[in-house]
Amino acid sequence: MDAKGPVSKAEKQYSFKLGAWTVDSGSNQLISNGKCYTIEPKMMDVLIYLCQHAGQTISAEQLLTACWAGTFYGDAPVQKCIAGLRKKLGCDAKNPSYIETIYRRGYKIIANVDFPDDGPDLSQRTPLKKWNDGSPYLGLNTFENKHAAVYFGRTAAIADVVHHLTLCIEKQCHFLLVLGKSGSGKSSLIRAGVLPQLSKEKGLFPLNVVKHHIVMPSQSIHESPTVTLVNALEAMSLLKESISLDKFIKEVKRSPERINAGIALPTNISTSPDSIELSSAHEKKPTTSYCLLVLDQFEQFLLDENLTTAAKEHLVLCIKQLALHEHILCVALLRNDFYAECTAIKGFTELKDAGSQYDLQPPTPTEITRMIRNPAIAAGLTFEQDAKSGVQLDDILLDTAVKNPDALPLLEYTLDQLYQKRSKDNQLTMNVYHQIGGIEGAIAKQAEKVFTSLPKKTQGCWNNIMHALIQVDHKNKHAVTARKVPITAFKTALEKQFIQRFLDAQLFVSLIQNARGEPVQYITIAHEALLKHWQRIKQWLNDNASAIQTREQLAENCAFWLESGKASDALLNSKKKVLDCIDLMDRSEITLSKAELEFIAKSKRYQSRKKYVLATAVVALIAFSISTWFQAKQVRFERDTALTQSQRTKAISKFLTKILTAESPYEAQGKDLLLEDVLANASEQLNDKNEKSTIQQLYVDALLHKTLGVIYIDLGKIKPAEYHLNKGFRIYKDNNLTRDEDYLGLLFTLSRLSVLKSDPTGEYARIIETIEVSKLLFGEEHKDTLGALDNLATYYLDQKNYDEAEAIFLDVYHRRKTLFGASHNHTLYSLENLGDLYFAQNMYSKAESYYSQCYETWLEKAQLNNPYTLHCMRRLAITQLATNQYDNAEKLFTRHIDASSRVMGTDHPEVLSSKHYLGELYIETGKSNQARLLLTETWQQRKAILGESHKNTLLTKRKLDEVISIEAGTE
């Protein structure tokens, strides 16, 4: 490097230990016990990269991206390097001691790796292209294609995205959903990481992108997202020349299925015979050309309060059609804190499941190292060394960033500030770092400095501007986002002065977008990192929480009212909501739309009419009551029963509301509280009640214990669930309470607990009582009576009394099908039970038929993120494993673990069961290392949750011992 100063760690060469070998990266040598081998530089690059990620499985795509920068195609170069390294290291591929091949996934270093303390990142061995185009750090801006030369640290993520796109192509639905936290770098990953690789002359095997277009939500202002989508196709020159754009848009709006009919591929879309992979079977596989459509900030399309539900669903349908096109790839970038809300949009989940999903993780320490040091090398920068401590500035930046890997925007902003104030000899200095407040304080300190420099009158615009530019999801109070607003919304000279100063400081950004054919300037906050880290905004959010929530709720309610054709039953349905909105109207800093003002006015009139109607109804009711007084004695019993149930419900509601309100995370001053904390508090308060209970209170206490038990079961917490359910049961028995519907529910839940515990003690007597109580309350044909009979058949099944079980299961199935229909939930329970029955008798073909029917029906009616769908999915996978359908079973198990972890939690018995069976599958397919890791993790989880002596815990331990024995025998 030309710049003076200490040599950066990234420029040094290091030796490190790999098992019995010393690896000298400077001389490209491997040294051990008098042996010394010189290897090719590229082979050394591969070895260093694998060692830097020791213990991790590194795909061929990742190695190609990291070590060849996409200049070679196919994984043949990787295979040759791995084979050469194994030969030099004395490593047998079948019984590896250094490099293990993970079937269909990649390669992993399994020997011990020992780096020197002062050189964990080794070196940037590949010469970097010089950067002379300003700051190599983008601050709060997004990395674009032109910044690819200084975009570092995301090699693994780039390879993962390419891999997931390949999976989409195999599934013939070319849709990839990229999920990540706000500020995780999703946009930069695609623009500066993936696109430059895929857009090269021959792409990156097996993909080559010849055209691409990125769609942003701001492009859809004053036009439907569908129009934006069609315009994107036009921008890529993909529409037929004969098409009239306006007519085609109308046609697509009427029928989304027509969107692909208007596409004419350019001549450079083809499969290229020049780009091939030589697989182990020496088959030639061509690289295929595609057009790539990127939907950035996808959540703002799907959750836009100005769009109707129909418009959002129409957009999803159009994307689905494009994803089915042979030569179009669709990538949607979505903030993961909005994922749950997006699943409510019809078709979204099905689209995601048909394609693929990639979760962008925070960067590792090694990746953060490259983000800091490699751009500096490319731009000829150095980091100052502290004269007293000897610590370099890049080390300080690295240590701070590693503690908070989610704060990438703050790191980039700090580095850019250091660059802007660098010394004359291109050094980033300690003094500037301390002046700007370090990584945590840089952006907040800059924003506060700009604000306090404004005249007092200009500062007075703060409230107006914040209410315009910030939005908070009223369903999730922690989901704070920036809003784009036309600059014409700010009318006073003081507001314009405020905005200009923040634009000059790059804290706000200006966007020019076409709206109704005319260019319009929009203003927004530069990056959401400012919302998270500037104390003034955080305090403003806290002070204005109520008004902000009311404002966002009003926007959603008004949108629904407009969508329903201004129907009166869509107006505000409570006096309090109307009064809250009237308060908003009186706040000068909040601007409401004409539609919102009309909505409030009509809601106010509607409430007034309701008040009059209610008063009239009360008078009529009193007159009616007097005239029918003599009938009261005849209905007193029914009335008292209803009142008793109502009182119980109110008592429980009051108790749980008190608990939940006291533990409100929003009011807990930033502390994260878990549901388990709330339940623990509820349990403690329920058990600490010392007053003598009335009969009515005993019913309430028993139902509360049952409610807490059910919640704990759903969380997979067996021991507290058992405690509360038994407590509720004892309250009924010890006080001779009437066996009512709540008692019946308690019996059912205790049976469910017995299944989870695999403990049949006392189960037969409880089931017989359940059948008896259900018949007494509801009769023979009621769903609860049939459910109790199902439990009896399950008991017989567990006792291996298959004939009794089959007779009851089939009887219940036919009765349910007749009473409720073939796709009713309870009929599907019967299908699953019959599958269990035949599986237990090794009648796998019959079992698979019932499980498949059950799974497909649940998937169609309730989608994937449903516990019953997931349960049938797991049972089907287990059956396929039993019949050696390994590929199908592995896909189902992997998909089940991913989905059920999100729905039920990572420690739920459903998740642990799939992990156990996936471990068994790995054993049977020869993947002993993967089996050992997965079974070890599952055994530890089962031991902690179910106990060391539980049969499932012991089963996993036996399988773990088996795989350890296999590995020991192999060695």
Side-chain angles (χ1 to χ4, degrees), residues 145-168:
N145 199 320
K146 63 182 180 181
H147 303 120
V150 287
Y151 182 71
F152 294 100
R154 283 300 198 180
T155 300
I158 294 169
D160 286 342
V161 170
V162 173
H163 173 67
H164 279 274
L165 285 171
T166 306
L167 293 179
C168 292

Side-chain angles (χ1 to χ4, degrees), residues 365-552:
T366 299
E367 290 172 332
I368 294 174
T369 300
R370 292 175 179 141
M371 292 176 181
I372 294 171
R373 292 174 177 158
N374 286 10
I377 296 173
L381 303 171
T382 59
F383 296 92
E384 185 180 15
Q385 187 177 49
D386 186 272
K388 294 181 180 179
S389 65
V391 178
Q392 286 193 179
L393 178 55
D394 51 343
D395 286 320
I396 296 174
L397 289 163
L398 177 60
D399 290 342
T400 306
V402 165
K403 293 173 184 175
N404 187 12
D406 291 328
L408 285 183
L410 297 184
L411 174 62
E412 281 292 321
Y413 182 82
T414 303
L415 286 163
D416 183 55
Q417 290 292 300
L418 289 168
Y419 174 84
Q420 301 300 340
K421 300 176 182 179
R422 66 194 183 281
S423 67
K424 292 182 180 179
D425 58 353
N426 277 344
Q427 190 170 71
L428 309 186
T429 66
M430 292 279 192
N431 186 45
V432 172
Y433 179 73
H434 293 305
Q435 282 179 4
I436 64 177
I439 290 179
E440 296 91 343
I443 189 170
K445 194 168 184 178
Q446 172 70 355
E448 188 64 21
K449 180 180 178 181
V450 173
F451 179 82
T452 54
S453 70
L454 294 169
K456 290 292 182 184
K457 287 186 178 180
T458 307
Q459 290 181 13
C461 301
W462 166 261
N463 256 345
N464 301 38
I465 293 173
M466 290 301 103
H467 275 293
L469 294 180
I470 295 177
Q471 58 187 358
V472 180
D473 182 1
H474 68 90
K475 297 174 185 173
N476 177 6
K477 298 175 182 179
H478 300 289
V480 183
T481 56
R483 181 190 279 121
K484 296 178 179 69
V485 179
I487 197 169
T488 52
F490 306 105
K491 303 185 183 301
T492 70
L494 293 176
E495 287 176 335
K496 292 176 181 178
Q497 182 186 18
F498 187 110
I499 288 168
Q500 190 57 51
R501 290 287 286 275
F502 272 71
L503 283 171
D504 293 341
Q506 296 184 326
L507 297 168
F508 288 177
V509 292
S510 173
L511 305 169
I512 304 296
Q513 304 291 348
N514 286 326
R516 298 191 180 117
E518 297 293 331
V520 176
Q521 182 181 9
Y522 293 89
I523 301 298
T524 189
I525 293 171
H527 202 285
E528 286 164 3
L530 196 62
L531 304 178
K532 294 180 180 179
H533 298 280
W534 189 9
Q535 186 58 38
R536 185 175 292 275
I537 285 183
K538 291 164 74 174
Q539 186 62 47
W540 178 83
L541 287 167
N542 187 57
D543 294 343
N544 292 270
S546 178
I548 295 169
Q549 290 291 300
T550 304
R551 173 71 182 84
E552 300 302 332

Side-chain angles (χ1 to χ4, degrees), residues 907-930:
D907 289 339
H908 196 278
E910 276 278 324
V911 180
L912 300 184
S913 174
S914 272
K915 290 172 70 172
H916 170 91
Y917 282 107
L918 183 58
E920 287 194 9
L921 185 149
Y922 286 150
I923 293 175
E924 294 186 26
T925 53
K927 305 172 189 176
S928 60
N929 188 58
Q930 289 169 264

Side-chain angles (χ1 to χ4, degrees), residues 670-793:
K671 296 178 182 177
D672 291 327
L673 295 171
L674 301 175
L675 179 57
E676 287 91 329
D677 300 328
V678 178
L679 293 175
N681 189 359
S683 301
E684 184 178 348
Q685 291 197 29
L686 187 57
N687 292 327
D688 286 349
K689 293 170 66 175
N690 295 318
E691 71 271 16
K692 187 175 181 180
S693 297
T694 64
I695 292 296
Q696 182 58 36
Q697 185 59 48
L698 287 171
Y699 281 111
V700 172
D701 288 351
L703 187 51
L704 272 169
H705 279 295
K706 179 241 180 182
T707 303
L708 292 172
V710 169
I711 296 173
Y712 273 120
I713 284 178
D714 288 338
L715 289 170
K717 309 293 183 182
I718 304 302
K719 290 181 180 178
E722 182 177 17
Y723 169 80
H724 282 289
L725 293 173
N726 285 331
K727 187 85 172 178
F729 183 73
R730 291 314 323 162
I731 290 173
Y732 268 97
K733 291 296 184 183
D734 294 344
N735 296 281
N736 294 316
L737 299 183
T738 302
R739 299 191 302 178
D740 56 5
E741 292 182 36
D742 293 332
Y743 180 69
L744 179 63
L746 184 58
L747 290 175
F748 271 117
T749 310
L750 282 165
S751 292
R752 182 182 170 197
L753 179 68
S754 295
V755 173
L756 290 173
K757 287 179 60 188
S758 301
D759 181 7
T761 306
E763 180 62 8
Y764 180 78
R766 186 181 297 120
I767 292 172
I768 296 301
E769 184 182 9
T770 307
I771 296 170
E772 177 188 326
V773 173
S774 185
K775 285 181 178 179
L776 184 65
L777 291 172
F778 304 120
E780 293 274 356
E781 300 298 317
H782 191 270
K783 62 181 179 63
D784 285 351
T785 306
L786 295 176
L789 287 169
D790 242 359
N791 287 346
L792 178 60

